[in-house]
Structure formats: C-alpha cells, structure tokens
C-alpha cells in the first residue's frame, strides 16, 4: 500500500514532468505553425533558380514587352495556318487549352496591345494579360494570383531544360514554327543562372508550394506586377491593391492557423487547471473537472491538428523529394557534371532530388528543407503535448479519487456520530 505522502510526491512529479513536456511541445508547435505557412519567398527562388531575387516592376515590364513582341510577330504572319502554328509553338503546351483563348495569342483580334494603353478598363486589362501570360505563370484568372508559380514570383530562371518554354526566339524560317527541345529558354525580365549558382530540381505543383510562402512577400511581388500593368496608377491605388491581396492571403490561411493553434491553447489551460487542482485549497473546487475536460478536448484537437498537415499537402510535398547523394546514372538522371550544367539531378522516375543540386553539391533544397523542419517540428511538439496531457490526466484522475475518498470518509464519520449510543 502506497502511503498518502508518497502519492503526493508522485502527483507532483507527474505534474512537473507534464508541465515541462507541455512547455517544450507547445513552444515547438507555435514556432512551427507560425513559420510553416510563412517561409520566405527568397528560399523558394533560391531553390528554383539559384538566386534569391524576387520579381520587380522592371522585370515584369520587360516580360510583358517580350511577350507582346512575340505575340505581334505571330499574329502578323500571312495566313491562319502559320499564325496558329506560331501561337501554339510559343505558348505552354497545356492540355485542354485553345490558342485563341489562352497563351501568347489570347484574343488575337486585339492588336496593338500595351500596358501603357489607358483606354482599356483596368478589369479588362488585367484579364487580358492574365489570359496571355496565365499558362506560363500558373494563373487561371485575375483572382488566382495567390497560386502563381515560380516563374511569376522569381526574377531569374534556372539554366535548365524547361518544360514551360513559350518565349524561345522564333525560328529563322516562319514556315517551321516552334522551338527545339535542346534550346534553352531565355528569361525575360531576369537572367539564367550562371556557373556556380546552384539550383535544385523542383516539383511542378507550384500552386501547392505557394501555400507555404510568406504573405507579405507575395503581396510585394503582386504590387510590382500591378505597377507594371498600370504604370500611371498613383501610390494610393497600388497600396490598396497590395493590401487587398495581403488580406486575401491571410484569409486563406486563417482556418489552418485556427486548427493548428487551438490544440496548444487548450493544452495550456488543461495544464493550468490540472496543476492548480493539486493544492489543498482547490481540492473541492471544479478545477479537477475542468482540467480533465480540457485535457481530453486538447488531446482530441491535437491529434486532429495533424490532419491539416496532410490535407494541405505539406507532408506529401516533402515526401516527393528523394535523397540522391552518392547515386549515379541511371538511378539518378543528370548526375554527371556535363549533364548537370543543363539540368538539376532527378531520380530515374522523375522525382526531384532533395540533397543534390545542379553543381553536384551535397546540400539540401533550402525551400523543402525548411518546410520539412517545420512540419517535423509541429508533429514532434504535438507528440510531446499528448504525453504531457496524459500525465495531467493521471494527476486530475487521482485527485478526483482522493476527493471522493475524503467525501465518503466524511459522510461515514457523520453517520457514525449521528447514531445513538446503546
């Protein structure tokens, strides 16, 4: 039979261990949740192109001019067959798209386009330029810029075989439109990565990757895009557009933030009520019941909070990158130095390499590496929180037993005192 004094020490020990684990776990969860969906955009651009530079208004202006110049060259061809062939050759080959609705020749009946055309309403203007560039920058409509791809966010481009090459120089013979697969894309508005600028192979789900980018960084690039489209707009208009974009970004992330933070918050309350219930002054108070209820609810929501990490694709995105260091052809494509000068290494099944860059260096992808650390940090913190809550449940459960025993003992003594002596 364990003595009451020993039981008190055990409960204090459990409370101390649980409190320490809870502090560490909650700190990990808050730190990871606050950064998991706020990774700097420069990290993504460094992984994509080897450069941390973000797109600016000057880069977008040059991009627009390059696209409109190529658009005019295609539309000016003498017959419809050549026009269609040129437009399709200089637009991303996306299934289900039509050359006159999206791509470089979208709405070909509109000639003489320019971002300096003030006669076109702003809504029509951004819709048109989104249709022209949307397939390249990964934007389906004017309201979908939050999910743009790296070509939009990043100023520079990787010196790589590009699957998305609408801006190759036109062929010398207009009767043979299109680009050769062994030609490198140019990089309107930026520059191709130079020798020594390492980049990593990236998955093409940039809309998924954009979910984890810092909203303020994305809003700043979007402001640069609006500045390039509407060069005559005053600062107030640009500020309003940036603020609305930033608000929309935060609104998209707020439900996830709520789910990821409610578990740690409830865990803190469960710990407070459980520890307070140990003291004799609160022995007969509802603190034990509150601690138990909060702990049960916190355990449930902590386990539920792991679900958004899979639902939003964080864990799935990280798992699509393979460890390739030490492997060579044919297991890892582009593993030789001659091939790496034109393409970042990938696994033989097409999945990108996490730990091998275009220079053959054994370095982790800076964007995916940070995403993986925060993902693992949140899960690890959640595990510690669950263990801490189990300790707290043991504390409040034993406290309830002690209180019940005292009540029964008090009632029994009262009944004995009330019985008449024979």
């Amino acid at each position: 039979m364990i003595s009451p004094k020993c039981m008190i020490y055990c409960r204090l020990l459990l409370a101390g261990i649980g409190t320490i684990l809870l502090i560490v776990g909650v700190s990990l969860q808050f730190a990871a949740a606050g950064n998991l969906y706020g990774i700097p955009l420069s990290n993504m651009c460094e992984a994509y192109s080897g450069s941390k530079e973000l797109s600016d208004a000057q880069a977008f202006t040059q991009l627009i001019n390059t696209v409109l110049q190529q658009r005019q060259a295609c539309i000016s061809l003498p017959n419809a067959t050549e026009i269609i062939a040129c437009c399709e050759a200089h637009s991303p080959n996306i299934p289900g798209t039509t050359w006159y609705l999206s791509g470089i020749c979208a709405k070909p009946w509109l000639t003489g386009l320019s971002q300096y055309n003030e006669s076109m309403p702003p809504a029509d203007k951004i819709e048109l330029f989104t249709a022209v560039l949307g397939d390249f920058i990964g934007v389906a409509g004017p309201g979908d810029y939050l999910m743009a791809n790296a070509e939009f966010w990043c100023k520079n481009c990787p010196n790589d075989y590009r699957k998305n090459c609408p801006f190759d120089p036109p062929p010398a013979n207009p009767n043979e439109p299109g680009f050769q697969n062994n030609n490198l894309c140019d990089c309107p508005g930026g520059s191709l990565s130079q020798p020594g600028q390492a980049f990593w192979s990236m998955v093409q789900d940039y809309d998924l990757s954009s979910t984890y980018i810092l909203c303020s960084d994305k809003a700043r690039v979007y402001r640069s895009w609006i500045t390039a489209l509407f060069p005559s707009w005053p600062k107030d208009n640009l500020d309003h557009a940036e603020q609305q974009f930033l608000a929309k970004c935060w609104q998209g992330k707020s439900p996830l933030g709520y789910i990821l933070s409610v578990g740690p918050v409830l865990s803190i309350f469960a710990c407070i009520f459980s520890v307070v219930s140990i003291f004799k002054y609160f022995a007969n108070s509802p603190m034990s019941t509150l601690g138990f209820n909060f702990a049960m609810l916190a355990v449930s929501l902590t386990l539920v909070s792991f679900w958004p990490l899979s639902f939003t694709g964080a864990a799935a995105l990280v798992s699509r990158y393979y460890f390739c260091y030490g492997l060579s052809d044919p297991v890892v494509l582009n593993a030789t130095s001659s091939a790496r000068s034109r393409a970042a290494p990938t696994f033989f099944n097409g999945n990108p390499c996490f730990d091998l860059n275009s220079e053959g260096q054994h370095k982790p992808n800076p964007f995916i590496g940070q995403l993986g650390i925060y993902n693992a940090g949140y899960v690890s913190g959640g595990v510690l929180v669950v263990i801490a809550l189990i300790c707290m449940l043991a504390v409040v459960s034993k406290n309830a037993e002690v209180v019940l025993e005292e009540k029964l003992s008090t009632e029994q003594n009262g009944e004995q005192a009330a019985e008449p002596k024979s």
Side-chain angles (χ1 to χ4, degrees):
M1 184 83 181
I2 301 177
S3 65
K5 188 175 183 180
C6 182
M7 288 298 301
I8 293 175
Y9 288 144
C10 289
R11 291 167 60 197
L12 290 174
L13 179 61
L14 281 175
I17 294 174
T19 302
I20 294 173
L21 291 178
L22 187 74
I23 292 174
V24 175
V26 168
S27 299
L28 280 174
Q29 285 193 300
F30 276 127
N35 291 282
L36 181 62
Y37 294 90
I39 297 177
L41 182 55
S42 58
N43 285 16
M44 181 180 180
C45 291
E46 181 184 6
Y48 167 71
S49 66
S51 170
K52 292 187 176 184
E53 289 186 87
L54 308 183
S55 297
D56 53 26
Q58 183 178 359
F60 281 130
T61 300
Q62 186 176 345
L63 170 64
I64 292 171
N65 292 336
T66 303
V67 171
L68 294 182
Q69 182 179 0
Q70 182 58 59
R71 172 191 171 94
Q72 187 62 36
C74 289
I75 294 178
S76 300
L77 291 174
N79 59 66
T81 302
E82 294 179 6
I83 291 175
I84 294 173
C86 181
C87 292
E88 290 180 345
H90 292 83
S91 296
N93 185 18
I94 299 179
T97 59
T98 308
W99 70 273
Y100 58 85
L101 295 179
S102 66
I104 200 170
C105 295
K107 301 183 180 181
W109 52 86
L110 296 176
T111 59
L113 292 182
S114 171
Q115 66 271 36
Y116 302 102
N117 184 358
E118 300 295 338
S119 62
M120 183 179 293
D124 295 341
K125 192 174 185 180
I126 191 171
E127 182 179 1
L128 174 60
F129 278 95
T130 301
V132 172
L133 285 166
D135 292 340
F136 177 65
I137 61 178
V139 178
D144 300 322
Y145 277 89
L146 281 172
M147 295 292 105
N149 60 23
E151 280 87 354
F152 180 78
W153 305 118
C154 305
K155 180 177 181 178
N156 299 318
C157 309
N159 189 13
D160 202 344
Y161 291 111
R162 303 276 299 288
K163 296 180 180 179
N164 208 3
C165 299
F167 305 127
D168 279 323
N173 184 359
N175 294 324
E176 298 178 359
F179 55 87
Q180 301 298 322
N181 290 331
N182 59 350
N183 288 340
L184 293 175
C185 291
D186 56 7
C187 188
S191 59
L192 293 171
S193 59
Q194 301 300 314
Q197 281 186 307
F199 57 91
W200 285 258
S201 180
M202 302 281 286
V203 299
Q204 297 302 310
D205 293 342
Y206 291 117
D207 55 344
L208 176 60
S209 302
S210 295
T211 305
Y212 308 100
I213 299 300
L214 194 64
C215 284
S216 58
D217 286 350
K218 296 167 74 172
R220 188 166 70 252
V221 174
Y222 182 75
R223 180 192 178 105
S224 299
W225 169 248
I226 297 300
T227 303
L229 281 184
F230 307 101
S232 63
W233 272 20
K235 181 178 180 298
D236 290 344
N237 290 358
L238 298 176
D239 290 342
H240 182 70
E242 181 181 5
Q243 290 168 3
Q244 290 298 316
F245 184 89
L246 184 62
K248 184 179 179 180
C249 181
W250 278 114
Q251 288 170 4
K253 295 183 179 183
S254 56
L256 292 172
Y258 169 78
I259 294 174
L260 294 178
S261 60
V262 67
V265 171
L266 291 176
S267 300
I268 293 174
F269 281 105
C271 178
I272 293 173
F273 292 136
S274 299
V275 172
V276 167
S277 67
I278 297 177
F279 298 99
K280 186 176 181 180
Y281 183 79
F282 298 97
N284 294 319
S285 69
M287 291 298 179
S288 296
T289 304
L290 285 174
F292 181 85
N293 293 337
F294 269 95
M296 292 297 294
L297 187 59
V299 168
S300 302
L301 292 177
T302 299
L303 295 177
V304 168
S305 66
F306 294 157
W307 172 69
L309 299 180
S310 299
F311 174 73
T312 58
L317 182 60
V318 173
S319 66
R320 292 171 65 180
Y321 286 78
Y322 285 14
F323 291 94
C324 301
Y325 183 72
L327 303 177
S328 58
D329 292 312
V331 178
V332 174
L333 306 180
N334 309 318
T336 62
S337 58
S338 59
R340 283 200 304 268
S341 64
R342 300 288 296 276
T346 61
F347 207 65
F348 72 91
N349 62 358
N351 286 69
C353 292
F354 165 73
D355 59 341
L356 195 62
N357 60 31
S358 61
E359 296 292 320
Q361 299 168 334
H362 182 209
K363 290 184 177 180
N365 183 311
F367 173 67
I368 297 300
Q370 193 168 7
L371 180 63
I373 289 174
Y374 292 138
N375 181 71
Y378 188 86
V379 174
S380 300
V383 172
L384 292 178
V385 167
V386 171
I387 296 174
L389 291 173
I390 292 174
C391 294
M392 295 302 171
L393 285 172
V395 170
V396 296
S397 298
K398 187 60 183 177
N399 184 69
E401 293 178 7
V402 172
V403 172
L404 181 60
E405 290 176 359
E406 290 181 355
K407 286 183 177 180
L408 292 175
S409 176
T410 303
E411 292 176 358
Q412 186 176 5
N413 294 335
E415 291 176 357
Q416 291 178 356
E419 292 179 359
K421 294 182 181 180
S422 56

